[in-house]
Amino acid sequence: RFRIAGCSDSDGEKLYSLDGEEMWYADFINKKGVEPQPSFIDHMSYVEGTYEGAVAQQQTCRQNLKLRRKAMK
């Protein structure tokens, strides 16, 4: 299992994958979580609130980014 999370001033990423296949990712443009596996396979679904958690983590990430930039000046 692999997880990617990160942010910048204008963008963010939250992704879960397994064996190189995307299992879930946050689509911050369309404001929803996406499970990209085809419907004909039995796949793991993520719990309600996963997208909202990703949004909250992005806000925290951006705040930490601002604080680190300020500390480095």
Side-chain angles (χ1 to χ4, degrees):
R1 190 169 183 167
F2 188 70
R3 177 181 74 102
I4 296 173
C7 69
S8 69
D9 290 333
S10 62
D11 202 3
E13 179 93 28
K14 181 73 173 198
L15 165 92
Y16 293 100
S17 70
L18 180 64
D19 294 332
E21 298 290 327
E22 289 183 344
M23 302 298 290
W24 184 93
Y25 67 90
D27 182 345
F28 293 116
I29 294 170
N30 293 307
K31 299 181 180 182
K32 64 180 183 175
V34 178
E35 294 180 356
Q37 300 85 32
S39 60
F40 59 83
I41 66 168
D42 185 25
H43 67 276
M44 173 176 45
S45 290
Y46 286 78
V47 297
E48 188 174 324
T50 302
Y51 174 75
E52 291 78 11
V55 170
Q57 288 176 349
Q58 287 297 299
Q59 292 169 348
T60 301
C61 183
R62 286 196 178 104
Q63 186 64 22
N64 288 338
L65 185 61
K66 287 179 188 177
L67 291 172
R68 287 185 181 133
R69 284 184 182 148
K70 187 176 180 180
M72 295 180 83
K73 287 185 179 182

Coordinates of all heavy atoms in Angstrom, one line a residue:
R1 N 0.8 -1.2 0.0 CA 0.0 0.0 0.0 C 0.9 1.2 0.0 O 1.9 1.3 0.7 CB -0.9 0.0 1.2 CG -1.9 1.0 1.2 CD -3.0 0.7 2.3 NE -4.0 1.7 2.1 CZ -5.1 1.7 2.7 NH1 -5.4 0.7 3.5 NH2 -6.0 2.7 2.6
F2 N 0.5 2.2 -0.8 CA 1.3 3.4 -0.9 C 0.4 4.7 -0.8 O -0.7 4.6 -1.3 CB 1.9 3.4 -2.3 CG 2.9 4.5 -2.6 CD1 4.1 4.5 -1.9 CD2 2.6 5.5 -3.5 CE1 5.1 5.5 -2.2 CE2 3.5 6.5 -3.8 CZ 4.8 6.5 -3.1
R3 N 0.9 5.7 -0.1 CA 0.1 6.9 0.1 C 0.9 8.1 -0.3 O 2.1 8.2 0.1 CB -0.4 7.0 1.5 CG -1.1 8.3 1.8 CD -1.5 8.4 3.3 NE -0.4 8.7 4.1 CZ -0.1 9.9 4.6 NH1 -0.9 10.9 4.4 NH2 0.9 10.0 5.4
I4 N 0.3 9.0 -1.1 CA 1.0 10.3 -1.4 C 0.1 11.4 -0.9 O -1.1 11.4 -1.1 CB 1.1 10.4 -2.9 CG1 2.1 9.4 -3.5 CG2 1.7 11.8 -3.3 CD1 2.2 9.3 -5.0
A5 N 0.7 12.4 -0.2 CA 0.0 13.5 0.2 C 1.0 14.7 0.2 O 2.2 14.6 0.5 CB -0.5 13.4 1.7
G6 N 0.5 15.8 -0.4 CA 1.4 17.0 -0.5 C 0.6 18.2 -0.9 O -0.6 18.1 -1.3
C7 N 1.3 19.4 -0.9 CA 0.6 20.6 -1.2 C 1.6 21.6 -1.7 O 2.8 21.5 -1.5 CB -0.2 21.1 -0.1 SG 0.8 21.8 1.3
S8 N 1.0 22.6 -2.4 CA 1.7 23.8 -2.8 C 0.8 25.0 -2.5 O -0.4 24.8 -2.1 CB 2.2 23.8 -4.2 OG 1.1 23.8 -5.1
D9 N 1.2 26.2 -2.9 CA 0.2 27.3 -2.7 C -1.0 27.1 -3.6 O -2.1 27.6 -3.2 CB 0.9 28.6 -3.1 CG 2.0 29.0 -2.1 OD1 1.9 28.6 -0.9 OD2 3.0 29.7 -2.5
S10 N -0.9 26.5 -4.7 CA -2.0 26.4 -5.7 C -2.5 25.0 -5.9 O -3.5 24.9 -6.6 CB -1.6 27.1 -7.0 OG -0.5 26.3 -7.5
D11 N -1.9 24.0 -5.4 CA -2.3 22.6 -5.8 C -2.1 21.7 -4.6 O -1.5 22.1 -3.6 CB -1.5 22.2 -7.0 CG -2.2 21.0 -7.7 OD1 -3.3 20.7 -7.4 OD2 -1.5 20.5 -8.7
G12 N -2.7 20.5 -4.7 CA -2.5 19.5 -3.7 C -2.7 18.1 -4.2 O -3.3 17.9 -5.3
E13 N -2.3 17.1 -3.4 CA -2.4 15.7 -3.9 C -2.7 14.9 -2.7 O -2.1 15.0 -1.6 CB -1.1 15.3 -4.5 CG -1.0 13.9 -4.9 CD -1.4 13.7 -6.4 OE1 -1.2 14.6 -7.2 OE2 -1.9 12.6 -6.7
K14 N -3.6 14.0 -2.8 CA -3.9 12.9 -1.8 C -4.3 11.7 -2.6 O -5.2 11.7 -3.4 CB -5.0 13.3 -0.9 CG -5.4 12.3 0.2 CD -4.3 12.3 1.2 CE -4.8 11.4 2.4 NZ -4.0 11.7 3.6
L15 N -3.5 10.6 -2.5 CA -3.7 9.4 -3.3 C -3.3 8.2 -2.5 O -2.4 8.2 -1.7 CB -2.7 9.5 -4.5 CG -2.5 8.2 -5.3 CD1 -3.5 8.1 -6.4 CD2 -1.1 8.1 -5.8
Y16 N -4.1 7.1 -2.7 CA -3.8 5.8 -2.1 C -3.7 4.8 -3.3 O -4.5 4.9 -4.2 CB -5.0 5.3 -1.2 CG -5.1 6.1 0.1 CD1 -6.1 7.1 0.2 CD2 -4.3 5.9 1.1 CE1 -6.3 7.8 1.3 CE2 -4.5 6.7 2.3 CZ -5.4 7.6 2.4 OH -5.6 8.4 3.5
S17 N -2.7 4.0 -3.2 CA -2.5 3.0 -4.3 C -2.1 1.7 -3.7 O -1.7 1.6 -2.5 CB -1.5 3.5 -5.3 OG -0.2 3.4 -4.8
L18 N -2.3 0.6 -4.5 CA -1.9 -0.7 -4.0 C -1.3 -1.5 -5.3 O -2.0 -1.5 -6.3 CB -3.1 -1.5 -3.5 CG -2.9 -2.9 -3.0 CD1 -1.9 -2.9 -1.8 CD2 -4.2 -3.6 -2.6
D19 N -0.1 -2.0 -5.1 CA 0.5 -2.7 -6.2 C 0.5 -1.8 -7.5 O 0.3 -2.4 -8.6 CB -0.1 -4.0 -6.5 CG 0.0 -5.0 -5.3 OD1 1.0 -4.9 -4.6 OD2 -0.9 -5.9 -5.2
G20 N 0.8 -0.6 -7.4 CA 0.9 0.3 -8.6 C -0.4 0.8 -9.2 O -0.5 1.5 -10.1
E21 N -1.5 0.4 -8.6 CA -2.9 0.7 -9.1 C -3.5 1.8 -8.1 O -3.5 1.6 -6.9 CB -3.8 -0.5 -9.1 CG -3.3 -1.6 -10.1 CD -3.4 -1.2 -11.5 OE1 -4.4 -0.4 -11.9 OE2 -2.6 -1.6 -12.3
E22 N -4.0 2.8 -8.7 CA -4.7 3.8 -7.9 C -6.0 3.2 -7.3 O -6.8 2.6 -8.0 CB -5.1 5.0 -8.7 CG -4.0 5.9 -9.2 CD -4.4 7.1 -9.9 OE1 -5.6 7.2 -10.4 OE2 -3.6 8.1 -10.1
M23 N -6.1 3.4 -6.0 CA -7.3 2.9 -5.3 C -8.3 4.0 -5.0 O -9.5 3.8 -5.1 CB -6.9 2.2 -4.0 CG -5.9 1.1 -4.1 SD -6.6 -0.3 -5.1 CE -7.8 -0.9 -4.0
W24 N -7.7 5.2 -4.7 CA -8.6 6.3 -4.4 C -7.7 7.6 -4.5 O -6.5 7.6 -4.2 CB -9.1 6.2 -2.9 CG -10.0 7.3 -2.5 CD1 -11.4 7.3 -2.6 CD2 -9.7 8.6 -2.0 NE1 -11.9 8.5 -2.1 CE2 -10.8 9.3 -1.7 CE3 -8.5 9.3 -1.7 CZ2 -10.9 10.6 -1.2 CZ3 -8.5 10.5 -1.1 CH2 -9.7 11.2 -0.9
Y25 N -8.3 8.7 -5.0 CA -7.6 10.0 -5.0 C -8.6 11.1 -4.8 O -9.8 11.0 -5.1 CB -6.7 10.2 -6.2 CG -7.5 10.3 -7.5 CD1 -7.9 11.6 -7.9 CD2 -7.8 9.3 -8.3 CE1 -8.6 11.8 -9.1 CE2 -8.5 9.4 -9.5 CZ -8.9 10.7 -9.9 OH -9.6 10.8 -11.1
A26 N -8.1 12.2 -4.2 CA -8.9 13.4 -4.0 C -8.9 14.2 -5.3 O -7.8 14.6 -5.7 CB -8.4 14.1 -2.8
D27 N -10.0 14.5 -5.8 CA -10.1 15.4 -7.0 C -10.5 16.8 -6.4 O -11.7 17.0 -6.2 CB -11.2 14.9 -8.0 CG -11.3 15.7 -9.2 OD1 -10.8 16.9 -9.2 OD2 -11.9 15.2 -10.2
F28 N -9.5 17.6 -6.1 CA -9.8 18.9 -5.5 C -10.5 19.9 -6.4 O -11.1 20.8 -6.0 CB -8.5 19.5 -4.9 CG -7.9 18.7 -3.8 CD1 -6.7 18.1 -3.9 CD2 -8.6 18.5 -2.6 CE1 -6.2 17.3 -2.8 CE2 -8.1 17.8 -1.5 CZ -6.9 17.2 -1.6
I29 N -10.3 19.7 -7.7 CA -11.0 20.6 -8.7 C -12.5 20.3 -8.7 O -13.3 21.2 -8.6 CB -10.4 20.4 -10.1 CG1 -9.0 20.8 -10.1 CG2 -11.3 21.1 -11.1 CD1 -8.2 20.5 -11.3
N30 N -12.9 19.0 -8.7 CA -14.3 18.7 -8.7 C -14.9 18.4 -7.4 O -16.1 18.0 -7.2 CB -14.6 17.5 -9.6 CG -14.3 17.8 -11.1 OD1 -14.8 18.8 -11.6 ND2 -13.4 17.0 -11.7
K31 N -14.1 18.6 -6.3 CA -14.5 18.5 -4.9 C -15.1 17.2 -4.6 O -16.2 17.1 -4.0 CB -15.4 19.7 -4.6 CG -14.7 21.0 -4.7 CD -15.6 22.1 -4.4 CE -14.7 23.4 -4.6 NZ -15.4 24.6 -4.2
K32 N -14.4 16.1 -4.9 CA -14.9 14.7 -4.5 C -13.7 13.7 -4.5 O -12.7 14.0 -5.0 CB -15.9 14.3 -5.5 CG -15.4 14.1 -7.0 CD -16.5 13.6 -7.9 CE -15.9 13.4 -9.3 NZ -16.9 12.8 -10.2
G33 N -14.0 12.6 -3.8 CA -13.1 11.5 -3.8 C -13.4 10.6 -5.0 O -14.6 10.4 -5.4
V34 N -12.4 10.0 -5.6 CA -12.6 9.2 -6.8 C -12.0 7.8 -6.6 O -10.8 7.7 -6.1 CB -11.9 9.8 -8.1 CG1 -12.1 8.9 -9.3 CG2 -12.5 11.2 -8.3
E35 N -12.8 6.8 -6.9 CA -12.3 5.4 -6.8 C -12.2 4.9 -8.3 O -13.2 4.6 -8.9 CB -13.3 4.5 -6.0 CG -13.3 4.9 -4.6 CD -14.2 4.0 -3.8 OE1 -15.0 3.2 -4.3 OE2 -14.3 4.2 -2.5
P36 N -11.0 5.0 -8.9 CA -10.9 4.8 -10.4 C -11.0 3.4 -10.9 O -11.0 3.2 -12.1 CB -9.6 5.4 -10.7 CG -8.8 5.3 -9.4 CD -9.8 5.4 -8.3
Q37 N -11.2 2.4 -10.0 CA -11.3 1.0 -10.5 C -12.6 0.8 -11.2 O -13.6 1.4 -10.9 CB -11.2 0.0 -9.3 CG -9.9 0.0 -8.5 CD -10.0 1.1 -7.4 OE1 -11.1 1.3 -6.9 NE2 -8.9 1.7 -7.1
P38 N -12.6 -0.1 -12.2 CA -13.8 -0.3 -12.9 C -14.9 -1.0 -12.0 O -14.5 -1.7 -11.1 CB -13.4 -1.3 -14.1 CG -12.0 -1.7 -13.8 CD -11.5 -0.8 -12.8
S39 N -16.1 -0.8 -12.3 CA -17.2 -1.3 -11.4 C -17.3 -2.8 -11.5 O -17.9 -3.4 -10.6 CB -18.5 -0.7 -11.9 OG -18.8 -1.0 -13.2
F40 N -16.8 -3.5 -12.5 CA -16.9 -4.9 -12.6 C -15.9 -5.7 -11.7 O -16.0 -6.9 -11.6 CB -16.8 -5.4 -14.0 CG -15.5 -5.1 -14.7 CD1 -14.4 -5.9 -14.5 CD2 -15.4 -4.0 -15.5 CE1 -13.2 -5.6 -15.2 CE2 -14.2 -3.6 -16.1 CZ -13.1 -4.4 -16.0
I41 N -15.0 -5.0 -11.0 CA -14.1 -5.7 -10.1 C -14.5 -5.5 -8.7 O -15.1 -4.5 -8.4 CB -12.6 -5.3 -10.3 CG1 -12.4 -3.9 -9.9 CG2 -12.1 -5.6 -11.7 CD1 -10.9 -3.5 -9.8
D42 N -14.2 -6.4 -7.8 CA -14.4 -6.3 -6.4 C -13.3 -5.4 -5.8 O -12.2 -5.9 -5.8 CB -14.5 -7.6 -5.7 CG -14.9 -7.6 -4.3 OD1 -15.6 -6.6 -3.9 OD2 -14.6 -8.5 -3.6
H43 N -13.6 -4.2 -5.4 CA -12.5 -3.4 -4.9 C -13.0 -2.8 -3.5 O -14.1 -2.7 -3.2 CB -12.2 -2.3 -5.9 CG -13.2 -1.3 -6.1 ND1 -14.2 -1.5 -7.0 CD2 -13.4 -0.1 -5.6 CE1 -15.0 -0.4 -7.0 NE2 -14.6 0.5 -6.2
M44 N -12.0 -2.3 -2.8 CA -12.2 -1.7 -1.5 C -12.7 -0.3 -1.7 O -12.3 0.5 -2.5 CB -10.8 -1.6 -0.8 CG -10.8 -0.9 0.5 SD -9.2 -0.9 1.3 CE -8.1 -0.5 0.0
S45 N -13.8 0.0 -1.0 CA -14.4 1.4 -1.0 C -13.9 2.1 0.3 O -13.7 1.5 1.3 CB -15.9 1.3 -0.9 OG -16.4 0.8 -2.2
Y46 N -13.7 3.4 0.1 CA -13.3 4.2 1.2 C -14.5 4.8 2.0 O -15.5 5.0 1.4 CB -12.3 5.3 0.7 CG -11.0 4.8 0.4 CD1 -10.8 4.1 -0.8 CD2 -9.9 4.9 1.3 CE1 -9.5 3.5 -1.1 CE2 -8.7 4.3 1.0 CZ -8.5 3.6 -0.2 OH -7.3 3.1 -0.5
V47 N -14.3 5.0 3.3 CA -15.4 5.4 4.1 C -15.8 6.9 3.8 O -15.0 7.6 3.3 CB -15.1 5.3 5.6 CG1 -14.8 3.9 6.0 CG2 -13.9 6.2 6.0
E48 N -17.1 7.1 4.1 CA -17.6 8.5 3.9 C -16.8 9.4 4.8 O -16.4 9.1 5.9 CB -19.0 8.5 4.3 CG -19.7 9.8 4.0 CD -21.2 9.8 4.3 OE1 -21.8 8.8 4.1 OE2 -21.7 10.8 4.8
G49 N -16.4 10.6 4.2 CA -15.6 11.5 5.0 C -14.1 11.5 4.6 O -13.4 12.4 5.0
T50 N -13.7 10.6 3.8 CA -12.3 10.5 3.3 C -11.9 11.7 2.6 O -10.9 12.3 2.8 CB -12.1 9.2 2.5 OG1 -12.4 8.1 3.3 CG2 -10.6 9.1 2.1
Y51 N -12.8 12.2 1.7 CA -12.5 13.4 0.9 C -12.4 14.6 1.8 O -11.5 15.4 1.7 CB -13.5 13.7 -0.2 CG -13.3 15.0 -0.9 CD1 -12.2 15.1 -1.8 CD2 -14.0 16.1 -0.6 CE1 -11.9 16.3 -2.4 CE2 -13.7 17.3 -1.2 CZ -12.7 17.4 -2.1 OH -12.4 18.6 -2.7
E52 N -13.3 14.8 2.7 CA -13.3 15.9 3.7 C -12.1 15.9 4.5 O -11.5 16.9 4.8 CB -14.6 15.9 4.6 CG -15.9 16.2 3.8 CD -16.4 15.0 3.0 OE1 -15.9 13.8 3.1 OE2 -17.3 15.2 2.2
G53 N -11.6 14.7 4.9 CA -10.3 14.6 5.6 C -9.2 15.0 4.8 O -8.2 15.7 5.3
A54 N -9.2 14.7 3.5 CA -8.1 15.1 2.6 C -8.1 16.7 2.5 O -7.0 17.3 2.4 CB -8.3 14.5 1.2
V55 N -9.3 17.3 2.4 CA -9.4 18.7 2.3 C -8.8 19.4 3.6 O -8.0 20.3 3.5 CB -10.8 19.2 2.1 CG1 -11.0 20.7 2.3 CG2 -11.3 18.8 0.8
A56 N -9.1 18.8 4.8 CA -8.6 19.4 6.0 C -7.1 19.2 6.1 O -6.4 20.1 6.5 CB -9.3 18.6 7.2
Q57 N -6.6 18.1 5.6 CA -5.1 17.9 5.6 C -4.4 18.9 4.6 O -3.3 19.3 4.9 CB -4.8 16.4 5.2 CG -5.1 15.5 6.3 CD -4.9 14.0 5.8 OE1 -4.7 13.7 4.7 NE2 -5.0 13.1 6.8
Q58 N -5.1 19.2 3.5 CA -4.5 20.2 2.6 C -4.4 21.6 3.3 O -3.4 22.3 3.1 CB -5.3 20.3 1.3 CG -5.2 19.1 0.4 CD -3.8 18.9 -0.1 OE1 -3.2 19.8 -0.8 NE2 -3.1 17.8 0.2
Q59 N -5.4 21.9 4.0 CA -5.4 23.2 4.7 C -4.3 23.2 5.7 O -3.5 24.2 5.8 CB -6.8 23.5 5.4 CG -7.9 23.7 4.4 CD -9.2 23.7 5.0 OE1 -9.4 23.3 6.2 NE2 -10.2 24.1 4.2
T60 N -4.1 22.2 6.5 CA -3.0 22.1 7.4 C -1.7 22.1 6.7 O -0.7 22.8 7.2 CB -3.1 20.8 8.3 OG1 -4.4 20.8 8.9 CG2 -2.0 20.6 9.3
C61 N -1.5 21.4 5.6 CA -0.3 21.4 4.8 C 0.1 22.8 4.4 O 1.2 23.2 4.5 CB -0.4 20.4 3.7 SG 1.0 20.2 2.7
R62 N -0.9 23.5 3.8 CA -0.6 24.9 3.3 C -0.2 25.8 4.5 O 0.6 26.7 4.3 CB -1.8 25.4 2.6 CG -2.0 24.8 1.2 CD -2.9 25.5 0.3 NE -2.9 24.8 -1.0 CZ -3.9 24.1 -1.4 NH1 -5.0 23.9 -0.6 NH2 -3.8 23.5 -2.6
Q63 N -0.9 25.7 5.6 CA -0.5 26.5 6.8 C 0.9 26.2 7.2 O 1.7 27.1 7.5 CB -1.5 26.3 7.9 CG -1.3 27.2 9.1 CD -1.5 28.6 8.8 OE1 -2.2 29.0 7.8 NE2 -1.0 29.5 9.6
N64 N 1.3 24.9 7.3 CA 2.6 24.5 7.7 C 3.6 25.0 6.7 O 4.7 25.4 7.0 CB 2.7 23.0 7.8 CG 2.0 22.5 9.0 OD1 1.8 23.2 10.0 ND2 1.7 21.2 9.0
L65 N 3.3 25.0 5.4 CA 4.2 25.5 4.3 C 4.4 27.0 4.5 O 5.6 27.5 4.5 CB 3.5 25.3 3.0 CG 4.3 25.6 1.7 CD1 5.6 24.8 1.7 CD2 3.5 25.4 0.5
K66 N 3.4 27.8 4.9 CA 3.6 29.2 5.1 C 4.5 29.4 6.3 O 5.3 30.3 6.3 CB 2.2 29.9 5.4 CG 1.4 30.0 4.2 CD 0.0 30.7 4.5 CE -0.9 30.7 3.3 NZ -2.2 31.2 3.6
L67 N 4.3 28.7 7.4 CA 5.1 28.8 8.6 C 6.5 28.5 8.3 O 7.4 29.2 8.8 CB 4.5 27.9 9.7 CG 3.2 28.3 10.3 CD1 2.7 27.3 11.3 CD2 3.3 29.7 11.0
R68 N 6.8 27.4 7.6 CA 8.2 27.1 7.3 C 8.9 28.1 6.4 O 10.0 28.4 6.6 CB 8.2 25.7 6.6 CG 7.9 24.6 7.5 CD 8.1 23.2 6.8 NE 7.7 22.2 7.8 CZ 6.9 21.2 7.6 NH1 6.4 21.1 6.4 NH2 6.7 20.3 8.5
R69 N 8.1 28.7 5.5 CA 8.7 29.8 4.6 C 9.1 31.0 5.5 O 10.1 31.6 5.3 CB 7.7 30.2 3.6 CG 7.7 29.2 2.4 CD 6.8 29.7 1.3 NE 6.7 28.8 0.3 CZ 5.6 28.6 -0.5 NH1 4.6 29.4 -0.3 NH2 5.6 27.8 -1.5
K70 N 8.2 31.3 6.4 CA 8.4 32.5 7.3 C 9.6 32.2 8.2 O 10.4 33.1 8.4 CB 7.2 32.7 8.1 CG 7.2 33.9 9.0 CD 5.9 34.2 9.7 CE 6.0 35.4 10.5 NZ 4.7 35.7 11.3
A71 N 9.7 31.0 8.7 CA 10.9 30.6 9.6 C 12.2 30.6 8.9 O 13.2 30.9 9.5 CB 10.6 29.3 10.2
M72 N 12.2 30.4 7.6 CA 13.4 30.3 6.8 C 13.9 31.7 6.4 O 15.0 31.8 6.0 CB 13.3 29.4 5.6 CG 13.0 27.9 6.0 SD 12.8 26.9 4.6 CE 14.6 26.6 4.2
K73 N 13.1 32.7 6.5 CA 13.5 34.1 6.1 C 14.3 34.8 7.1 O 14.3 34.6 8.3 CB 12.2 34.9 5.8 CG 11.6 34.4 4.4 CD 10.5 35.4 4.1 CE 9.9 34.9 2.7 NZ 8.8 35.8 2.3

